[in-house]
Amino acid sequence: MSGHSKWHNIQGRKNAQDAKRGKIFQKISRDLYQAAKAGGVEPESNAQLRLVMEKARAANMPKDNIQRALDKASGVGGAKFEEITYEGYGPGGTAIMVSALTDNKNRTAAAVRSAFTHHGGSLGASGSVSYMFDRQGYIVILRNGLDTDEDTMLMAALDAGADDMKTSDEIFEIFTDPSALPAVRDALQAAGYDLDTAEVTMFPENTTEVPEGKVSQYTGLIDELSENDDVQDVYEAAVLPEEAE
């Protein structure tokens, strides 16, 4: 299938940023919080939390960092965190959604607005760009070391309740209805598959190429948003010129 996959985009620009700026623990903390918030803080009864904790251990994430994320989800210490979504336009009119987790809405809103302003973008009203994105369950299974062909994997995914699958040399990408993600995830794990990613995320229905002269502004905006400790995810309905087909 044509197009650049979400996984490849993540593995490329965003994972390079993660490695360079120490964002790996922040992303895992986000995933721990979301898994614990959705299914409880006990790994024995929360399959998604077990999956994320395995990633945390593989990344050598300190136990204190893991515990802080779980404490946020359970409200230990009295801090109340809210999930907030901001919508805006980057340089060249590119649509961007920002998912944040914060205990201070004023601080986070000011920082997000400042990032857009600094880099030639603008914050929009609620609903201004969200209609351009589709919310889906998303599972990635790495093909390295996996003795499963495309047809077998597709049948396993569909039998588990998935809607669609894309295949590349490196990965199987499996797409589900958001509400079906836990069941599909659990069924694939029960069938013996190791999951690299299992999350509900946003996919752009269409993308806009960032104008050549605005690439630096655009990447600066994404970097500043991604580096904010309150920001959990940045969803882009855009591609850089070198990524466009």
Side-chain angles (χ1 to χ4, degrees), residues 19-56:
K20 184 167 60 177
R21 299 185 175 92
K23 299 285 289 182
I24 293 174
F25 290 169
Q26 183 177 333
K27 181 181 187 304
I28 294 175
S29 292
R30 181 283 312 271
D31 293 343
L32 285 167
Y33 172 88
Q34 291 183 338
K37 196 72 173 176
V41 297
E42 298 299 331
E44 295 79 9
S45 57
N46 186 338
Q48 177 64 8
L49 182 58
R50 287 199 303 274
L51 174 65
V52 181
M53 290 187 78
E54 288 171 7
K55 284 189 177 183

Side-chain angles (χ1 to χ4, degrees), residues 102-114:
T102 181
D103 60 350
N104 187 324
K105 291 190 294 184
N106 292 336
R107 178 193 66 220
T108 307
V112 171
R113 184 177 295 107
S114 175

Side-chain angles (χ1 to χ4, degrees), residues 5-205:
S5 74
K6 176 183 174 69
W7 185 84
H8 279 100
N9 289 341
I10 292 171
Q11 296 302 106
R13 175 154 45 90
K14 290 188 176 180
N15 269 14
Q17 291 170 359
D18 284 350
K20 184 167 60 177
R21 299 185 175 92
K23 299 285 289 182
I24 293 174
F25 290 169
Q26 183 177 333
K27 181 181 187 304
I28 294 175
S29 292
R30 181 283 312 271
D31 293 343
L32 285 167
Y33 172 88
Q34 291 183 338
K37 196 72 173 176
V41 297
E42 298 299 331
E44 295 79 9
S45 57
N46 186 338
Q48 177 64 8
L49 182 58
R50 287 199 303 274
L51 174 65
V52 181
M53 290 187 78
E54 288 171 7
K55 284 189 177 183
R57 285 190 287 269
N60 295 315
M61 187 172 182
K63 290 182 179 179
D64 287 348
N65 294 42
I66 295 173
Q67 192 59 51
R68 278 197 296 272
L70 299 180
D71 288 347
K72 284 182 182 181
S74 60
V76 170
K80 294 184 179 180
F81 287 82
E82 297 181 69
E83 296 183 52
I84 304 173
T85 300
Y86 301 93
E87 304 178 35
Y89 298 92
T94 50
I96 298 171
M97 291 182 64
V98 181
S99 174
L101 177 67
T102 181
D103 60 350
N104 187 324
K105 291 190 294 184
N106 292 336
R107 178 193 66 220
T108 307
V112 171
R113 184 177 295 107
S114 175
F116 274 94
T117 301
H118 285 168
H119 299 284
S122 61
L123 209 55
S126 177
S128 58
V129 303
S130 58
Y131 70 94
M132 302 181 193
F133 292 83
D134 183 26
R135 188 169 179 264
Q136 294 185 58
Y138 179 64
I139 294 171
V140 172
I141 297 176
L142 303 181
R143 299 190 70 178
N144 184 34
L146 180 65
D147 186 21
T148 302
D149 61 28
E150 181 176 0
D151 289 341
T152 301
M153 189 71 251
L154 177 60
M155 289 307 300
L158 294 177
D159 287 345
D163 295 332
D164 195 10
M165 186 183 84
K166 290 183 180 179
T167 303
S168 71
D169 291 340
E170 299 171 293
I171 59 170
F172 294 114
E173 292 181 288
I174 297 167
F175 303 88
T176 78
D177 183 271
S179 64
L181 176 68
V184 176
R185 176 198 66 214
D186 293 350
L188 290 172
Q189 288 181 316
Y193 293 104
D194 291 327
L195 311 186
D196 178 76
T197 301
E199 64 182 7
V200 174
T201 188
M202 303 292 287
F203 289 90
E205 295 184 352

